[in-house]
């Protein structure tokens, strides 16, 4: 027999409130951009990863030079491009005629070579621009 008289129901209510707030935020985000919930959740989750990485770069960049924001901004731009990949897939599915098999037709902006080529271009031009415009004094 358990004689524990502590009331821990507030923990369950707090967890439920947090889950509900996240669900409503993702729903509003999806509605604003015209996504379905799974696409909106994927984009929103990736944007949260981007914000966490940017915050960690901002917070710990003074202590550890390789993650300083001035050194990491091309990676952050590439992560922003990565955040948009589920949206590109969603928009490509909207553009494809309904009588085509999804595996037979692909829109150019939702293909793997466009996505990874965008990452390579952002990183390459970002670090090239950083190298060209850095002050050596």
């Amino acid at each position: 027999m358990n004689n524990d008289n502590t009331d821990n129901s507030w923990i369950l209510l707090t967890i439920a409130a947090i889950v509900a707030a996240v669900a409503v935020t993702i729903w509003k985000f999806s509605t604003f951009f015209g996504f379905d919930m799974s696409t909106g959740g994927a984009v929103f989750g990736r944007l949260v990863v981007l914000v966490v990485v940017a915050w960690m770069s901002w917070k710990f960049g003074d202590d550890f030079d390789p993650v300083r924001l001035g050194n990491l901004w091309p990676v952050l731009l590439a992560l922003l491009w990565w955040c948009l990949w589920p949206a590109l897939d969603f928009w490509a599915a909207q553009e494809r005629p309904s009588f085509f098999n999804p595996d037979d037709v692909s829109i150019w902006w939702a293909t793997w070579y466009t996505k990874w080529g965008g990452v390579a271009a952002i990183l390459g031009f970002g670090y090239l621009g950083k190298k060209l415009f850095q002050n050596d004094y």
Side-chain angles (χ1 to χ4, degrees):
M1 180 182 277
N2 188 2
N3 290 333
D4 189 13
N5 291 331
T6 60
D7 185 24
N8 291 332
S9 62
W10 66 271
I11 296 172
L12 183 60
L13 290 175
T14 304
I15 292 171
I18 290 170
V19 168
V22 168
V24 167
T25 303
I26 291 173
W27 173 64
K28 288 289 195 178
F29 180 82
S30 300
T31 304
F32 182 77
F33 288 106
F35 299 142
D36 58 353
M37 282 293 286
S38 65
T39 303
V43 172
F44 189 79
R46 290 176 179 211
L47 286 172
V48 168
V49 169
L50 175 65
V51 167
V52 167
V53 170
W55 177 80
M56 289 177 67
S57 173
W58 188 283
K59 180 77 173 166
F60 302 115
D62 292 336
D63 299 331
F64 190 57
D65 194 53
V67 296
R68 195 170 50 100
L69 193 58
N71 294 333
L72 206 61
W73 65 266
V75 174
L76 294 175
L77 285 177
L79 277 176
L80 181 62
W81 173 248
W82 172 73
C83 291
L84 297 177
W85 288 6
L88 293 174
D89 293 336
F90 177 79
W91 291 324
Q94 301 299 317
E95 293 292 322
R96 183 178 41 242
S98 61
F99 55 85
F100 280 127
N101 185 2
D103 297 330
D104 292 342
V105 176
S106 62
I107 308 293
W108 67 271
W109 67 77
T111 56
W112 67 269
Y113 51 83
T114 302
K115 293 175 183 177
W116 287 105
V119 168
I122 290 169
L123 288 174
F125 285 123
Y127 281 113
L128 177 67
K130 185 178 175 312
K131 181 73 171 166
L132 289 176
F133 296 112
Q134 75 180 2
N135 295 331
D136 289 332
Y137 51 88

